[in-house]
Amino acid sequence: MSELLYYDLKDAAGVAPGLATQVCRELGRRIVAGHFSEGGLIDDENKLCDRFGVSKSVVREAVKLLVGKGLLEVRRGSGTRVRRRVSWNLLDDDVLAWHQGIEPRPDFLRQLMDVRQMIEPNAAGWAATSASPDQVEDIRKAQLAMERAASIQDFVIADALFHRAILRASNNELLTAMEGVIFSALLSSIKITNDDPLDNKERSLPLHREILEAIEAKDSEKASTAMRKHMADTYERLSNVLPGFRLKEADHR
């Protein structure tokens, strides 16, 4: 699953980015991938101009964008350095998208899943009591698209739209703002658990159907429980196939 699919799901595609944004994304991908190490200097301005075939003003604007995302810091006289990962704005849409281009980091994916486990059961419960008929229909359409998906990418897109529809049906603006976390975790996990797409679909569909039916019945407790069950299943599958994913007991202390 690609960075472009993430942008598509976020409705961010369709408008060609300007030169500064393009350079920002190229540098951002390299930073997230570790080509520029934390605490290390990136190439100087002249080298970046030559590499990307752009002017100094474009490079400066790109660097400014990355500074705003917490990835870079500019120090007069000592160059531009990559900040420690702890300072990055990891919920930024671009930063989440750039993670799609690298091998999933077990610790980061686990943290994304932890956030999903906190957010989505509550969102499903609230959706059961507050969703409008149109919002329930959006969830139903996404479920139907999952049932009819002819390819794994179609299934993943429908799956992501299912979860987005539930977040939006909770009618909580702050939860809706977290949908990028859902997309990033979903796309990253599919890379790992996609060894058998048919099994993936057959195992996942009943869990999603249970969530939908609880929301349709306006049963908040059942909807939360069903979503929690789905999150636990995803967590288990990732734990079984991704070394280093499962939370160690020492991490609790």
Side-chain angles (χ1 to χ4, degrees), residues 4-17:
L4 290 178
L5 181 53
Y6 177 94
Y7 284 124
D8 285 343
L9 290 169
K10 287 291 295 181
D11 297 326
V15 178

Side-chain angles (χ1 to χ4, degrees), residues 17-248:
L19 284 176
T21 299
Q22 292 180 49
V23 173
C24 167
R25 289 180 176 177
E26 286 298 324
L27 287 174
R29 293 182 189 112
R30 287 169 168 78
I31 293 170
V32 169
H35 296 311
F36 295 117
S37 60
E38 294 178 41
L41 292 169
I42 67 169
D43 294 336
D44 64 35
E45 198 172 78
N46 289 327
K47 286 184 178 179
L48 292 176
C49 289
D50 291 341
R51 172 180 293 179
F52 297 115
V54 296
S55 66
K56 289 185 177 180
S57 62
V58 169
V59 168
R60 289 168 186 165
E61 181 61 26
V63 168
K64 183 178 179 181
L65 291 172
L66 289 169
V67 168
K69 298 177 187 297
L71 273 67
L72 292 178
E73 62 178 351
V74 180
R75 294 181 181 178
R76 187 182 297 273
S78 61
T80 301
R81 293 184 181 273
V82 177
R83 299 185 71 188
R84 293 181 59 201
R85 186 178 172 87
V86 70
S87 300
W88 299 1
N89 181 2
L90 292 171
L91 297 183
D92 179 88
D93 279 335
D94 285 322
V95 177
L96 287 170
W98 297 333
H99 277 84
Q100 298 305 312
I102 63 174
E103 285 297 311
R105 293 169 50 114
D107 58 338
F108 184 55
L109 182 53
R110 190 190 68 222
Q111 290 166 27
L112 288 173
M113 283 302 305
D114 287 344
V115 173
R116 290 189 69 185
Q117 288 180 311
M118 288 189 293
I119 290 175
E120 293 200 72
N122 287 320
W126 293 330
T129 57
S130 69
S132 69
D134 286 344
Q135 288 173 328
V136 173
E137 182 61 21
D138 286 340
I139 301 170
R140 193 178 295 117
K141 286 179 179 178
Q143 171 68 22
L144 183 59
M146 291 175 67
E147 301 270 3
R148 295 177 174 176
S151 68
I152 187 61
Q153 179 157 310
D154 289 345
F155 183 82
V156 171
I157 292 172
D159 193 352
L161 294 178
F162 179 90
H163 288 276
R164 182 177 75 176
I166 290 175
L167 284 180
R168 293 182 176 183
S170 71
N171 290 305
N172 183 311
E173 292 179 346
L174 294 178
L175 286 189
T176 301
M178 296 294 291
E179 66 185 26
V181 171
I182 311 304
F183 295 154
S184 184
L186 185 62
L187 296 177
S188 295
S189 64
I190 286 294
K191 293 178 185 176
I192 300 162
T193 60
N194 190 26
D195 55 327
D196 187 344
L198 182 60
D199 176 68
N200 202 13
K201 184 174 180 178
E202 290 181 348
R203 181 170 175 172
S204 183
L205 281 175
L207 296 170
H208 287 80
R209 197 178 300 117
E210 187 177 345
I211 297 166
L212 170 61
E213 290 171 353
I215 292 173
E216 290 176 325
K218 299 186 181 300
D219 190 328
S220 177
E221 183 175 351
K222 188 175 180 180
S224 293
T225 299
M227 181 64 81
R228 196 170 290 112
K229 178 180 175 182
H230 172 38
M231 292 294 101
D233 178 74
T234 302
Y235 203 101
E236 178 186 358
R237 297 181 71 182
L238 288 169
S239 297
N240 289 337
V241 298
L242 182 61
F245 174 82
R246 187 179 294 278
L247 185 65
K248 298 179 179 64

